[in-house]
Amino acid sequence: MEHITLLIGIVIVTALVFDFTNGFHDTANAMATTISTGALAPRAAVAMSAVLNLLGAFLSIEVAKTISSGIIDEGSGIQPEVIFAGLVGAIIWNLLTWLAGLPSSSSHALMGGLLGATVAAVGTGAVNGDVVVMKVLIPALAAPLVAGIASVCATRLTYRVGRHADQERTAKGYRAGQITSAALVSLAHGTNDAQKTMGVITLALVTGGALAPDSDPPVWVIASAGLAIALGTYLGGWRIIRTMGKGITDIQPPQGFAAQTSAAATILASSHIGFSLSTTHVCSGAVMGSGLGRKGGVVRWGTAGRMFIGWGLTLPAAGGIAAASALLAEQGDWGVTTVAVLAVGLCGAIWLRSRRAPVDHTNVNEVEPATPEAAGIPGPAAEPGLEPAPEPGREPEPAGVVTTAIQAVSPPPPPAGVGVASTEETPTADNTAGRPASASSLS
């Protein structure tokens, strides 16, 4: 019994670590557009979001029930070490996608981790397939479409209503509206994502015999999950904020207001009926919809395509890591210890790698250059002091992890004013002299 109690404690701590990573991974969902348009200063934005995430955790437990007694059969012989392995898979995938600046789904990382570990340890019979399809997979496909369509309509309506108004005055009003809608998204994020960790902890308590099956999350579980996600949110996932705020489309205040309002409505509605959807999918869909809804707006489909690939990989990737962890953890105490040591080591390595090209509140709105010359790759000579001309009809995309890595091992570029334009606050062109645009990843 002492061994089980200790193991449950390890699972609870690991679940709260996941909740913390969920917070900084998903801060962009609520605050990316608000920060990119200047409606709020970066630090003030994440502080407000953290407080509202904490409040949102106390508003509902429907999603927590879906996790604790929905997708996994509690009576199938699931042990706490299996849940531990699922959380390890989710945490590692969250950190990898954060390093790449990829707005992937923390929710699906958790689902994939739990499903992968369960299948590896017990078999497919322990998975409630109909619940997974109805409350996970279908919402995953439908939510970004619903939010995107709503955002397209809201953006067009917003611009039509304000087309004769003074732009400077309306911009101030829309920024105020953005703050309000961002607050709604943060509150909605707390009602949806914080509950997932509540559900995992409750499932661990049930499998360890500390709670009866089908129990609601205890108050201390709700409070601890809310605090963990709030702390993670305050830390700020600046890499992903940069991608969502600058990498998908150029967002003006009316678009930000329309996108966030559409996302908040979608998330709150799903939380009410217990759909465990991804707030990342919803908010990303809403941002893309705002780009399509504005006349002359452009969606950077290269960035969007990489996001879609990441979304498709999340469930199997997190599931694969969790399955390997579960097979090792089931070997006993030494297996659980090995998984924990490997997980801590890998997380530390990811963090150290991120320090090579740090992104924080001071440079979150800056976009790295994506030209071959900036990456250290020789290109056609340019006249001193001239910036390369962009390809007609194409907006520049931010540089990615690959470009950043090349920069790290390449000679430094010439000083500003000797053929290289300043990159602060303004993205450079993707190509030079009609050459194809460089393939850049997310930063």
Side-chain angles (χ1 to χ4, degrees):
M1 185 66 181
E2 291 180 359
H3 167 71
I4 294 177
T5 301
L6 176 61
L7 187 55
I8 292 175
I10 293 173
V11 172
I12 291 172
V13 171
T14 308
L16 294 176
V17 171
F18 166 77
D19 205 24
F20 179 80
T21 67
N22 190 353
F24 73 73
H25 197 279
D26 289 2
T27 307
N29 297 341
M31 291 300 167
T33 60
T34 304
I35 292 171
S36 69
T37 60
L40 276 177
R43 279 297 186 192
V46 296
M48 183 184 80
S49 184
V51 172
L52 291 168
N53 266 277
L54 176 60
L55 293 177
F58 288 88
L59 295 184
S60 173
I61 58 171
E62 291 302 317
V63 174
K65 290 180 179 179
T66 298
I67 301 296
S68 64
S69 59
I71 65 173
I72 304 296
D73 184 1
E74 296 172 334
S76 61
I78 297 295
Q79 297 299 315
E81 55 263 32
V82 176
I83 302 172
F84 169 68
L87 289 166
V88 167
I91 290 170
I92 291 174
W93 183 252
N94 261 1
L95 291 178
L96 286 172
T97 50
W98 163 76
L99 179 64
L102 182 66
S104 68
S105 170
S106 296
S107 305
H108 287 183
L110 178 59
M111 302 293 181
L114 289 176
L115 292 173
T118 300
V119 171
V122 182
T124 56
V127 177
N128 295 324
D130 56 339
V131 177
V132 173
V133 171
M134 293 301 298
K135 291 202 170 184
V136 179
L137 296 182
I138 290 179
L141 297 174
L145 291 175
V146 171
I149 293 170
S151 183
V152 168
C153 297
T155 302
R156 290 181 177 176
L157 178 63
T158 298
Y159 276 103
R160 180 173 293 275
V161 169
R163 64 186 183 276
H164 297 307
D166 180 72
Q167 291 188 0
E168 185 175 344
R169 294 180 61 186
T170 55
K172 292 180 180 179
Y174 283 126
R175 286 192 176 97
Q178 270 192 279
I179 296 173
T180 303
S181 58
L184 282 175
V185 174
S186 297
L187 192 67
H189 186 258
T191 65
N192 199 283
D193 278 40
Q195 288 189 58
K196 298 178 176 76
T197 301
M198 297 177 207
V200 170
I201 295 176
T202 303
L203 179 61
L205 294 172
V206 170
T207 58
L211 279 180
D214 298 321
S215 296
D216 289 342
V219 175
W220 69 265
V221 171
I222 297 173
S224 59
L227 284 170
I229 201 169
L231 288 172
T233 300
Y234 182 71
L235 181 66
W238 303 110
R239 292 173 180 271
I240 301 176
I241 290 174
R242 173 185 281 182
T243 298
M244 286 192 68
K246 296 290 185 180
I248 299 175
T249 186
D250 293 323
I251 299 177
Q252 297 179 354
Q255 290 172 270
F257 171 71
Q260 288 174 315
T261 303
S262 303
T266 304
I267 296 169
L268 287 170
S270 68
S271 295
H272 179 70
I273 58 180
F275 279 170
S276 180
L277 55 69
S278 164
T279 54
T280 301
H281 290 189
V282 172
C283 293
S284 299
V287 169
M288 284 187 277
S290 71
L292 295 173
R294 176 169 67 92
K295 186 177 180 180
V298 175
V299 174
R300 298 183 179 95
W301 292 110
T303 300
R306 290 188 289 274
M307 285 172 47
F308 296 150
I309 293 172
W311 293 357
L313 289 175
T314 295
L315 281 170
I321 298 170
S325 301
L327 293 175
L328 186 55
E330 282 200 313
Q331 304 306 311
D333 291 349
W334 72 267
V336 173
T337 302
T338 302
V339 171
V341 170
L342 290 174
V344 170
L346 183 54
C347 292
I350 294 171
W351 182 83
L352 288 174
R353 175 61 184 85
S354 74
R355 295 301 86 199
R356 293 177 59 185
V359 180
D360 56 27
H361 67 284
T362 63
N363 63 353
V364 65
N365 280 334
E366 296 177 7
V367 181
E368 297 295 331
T371 60
E373 291 80 1
I377 303 172
E383 294 182 28
L386 292 182
E387 230 178 313
E391 180 181 352
R394 179 182 175 89
E395 293 197 21
E397 293 187 6
V401 173
V402 174
T403 300
T404 303
I406 295 174
Q407 287 177 309
V409 298
S410 301
V418 188
V420 178
S422 171
T423 62
E424 184 174 349
E425 297 289 342
T426 305
T428 63
D430 276 325
N431 59 341
T432 59
R435 294 178 61 197
S438 58
S440 61
S441 303
L442 299 170
S443 58

